[in-house]
Structures are given as C-alpha cells and as structure tokens.
Amino acid sequence: MVWRETGIMDERLRFVVDCLAGEETMSEICAAYGISRKIGYKWLGRYRALGPEGLRDLPRAPLNHGRATALDLVERIVAAKETHPLWGPKKIVARLKRTAPELRWPSASTAGAILARHGLV
C-alpha cells in the first residue's frame, strides 16, 4: 500500500472543490476534513474572494504596532547620532528632551535599540 503525501494547500483546494460540488452539506464536508464549520466557511470565503491564493496562510504579525516610537522622533534620534557619533543614547535623549520638552521622548534603552536598528552602535 502506497501512502500519498499531500500538502496543506492541496487539502484546502480539495476541500473547496468538494464544497463547490454541492453534493454534501458543509457540516459533512468539514467533518470529513476534520475542521470546524467556521474554518470551512473561512476557506471558502477566501477562495471566492482571492482564488487559490486566498488559501495560503496569512502572516500573523500585526500590520502596525500601537506602541511604536513615532517616526519623527526616530529620525531626530538618528540625526543626532549622525551629527555627534560619540554620543550614546542616554546623552542623545537628554539633549533632545532639553531642546523639545513638549514631546514624549523614549527611554535611553529604546533610543539605543533604535540606533542599533539603524546600525549606529
């Protein structure tokens, strides 16, 4: 007996084909594939909206981070480091706080992480 190996995309496509054939109910098809009806309707909806590409797994990472440092603050931190290459993140944040105290500046450790991301450490 030969075991047939299938991938996730193949199984999802077979599921959609079975659903579109209309020979069985959604409950029966989902039970045969071992998934919930909620997942079944999700895959069917994605297939109808995007075609076979809709059956791929979507990235789970958020598109934007709610607590990310504002881009203008990042640019000012990077510019200060490029102007004064010997300054560390602690001194940069202290100087920037003095020049613009109305802004909410990140901590020195966050500034250090920003500089590391830009290759300025």
Side-chain angles (χ1 to χ4, degrees):
M1 175 178 186
V2 176
W3 292 96
R4 200 175 86 209
E5 187 174 318
T6 61
I8 293 173
M9 289 294 293
D10 296 334
E11 288 295 315
R12 289 176 184 169
L13 198 54
R14 281 185 39 223
F15 169 79
V16 169
V17 169
D18 288 348
C19 285
L20 295 178
E23 296 173 2
E24 298 179 43
T25 65
M26 178 63 88
S27 297
E28 293 170 343
I29 297 170
C30 290
Y33 282 89
I35 59 172
S36 68
R37 285 186 333 172
K38 181 179 178 182
I39 297 295
Y41 283 114
K42 177 177 87 169
W43 291 127
L44 188 59
R46 281 193 192 172
Y47 179 81
R48 286 182 174 153
L50 303 171
E53 287 300 312
L55 299 178
R56 294 195 185 283
D57 285 330
L58 299 177
R60 294 176 184 263
L63 296 177
N64 56 13
H65 300 279
R67 296 183 59 171
T69 306
L71 186 59
D72 61 327
L73 297 179
V74 171
E75 289 171 352
R76 289 171 79 169
I77 291 169
V78 170
K81 179 64 173 182
E82 288 172 345
T83 306
H84 305 283
L86 298 178
W87 288 4
K90 198 175 196 181
K91 189 169 198 171
I92 289 173
V93 171
R95 294 286 176 114
L96 290 173
K97 278 183 182 178
R98 250 188 267 147
T99 60
E102 69 280 359
L103 297 175
R104 290 196 62 202
W105 292 99
S107 66
S109 62
T110 302
I114 291 168
L115 295 174
R117 262 185 267 135
H118 286 85
L120 297 172
V121 177

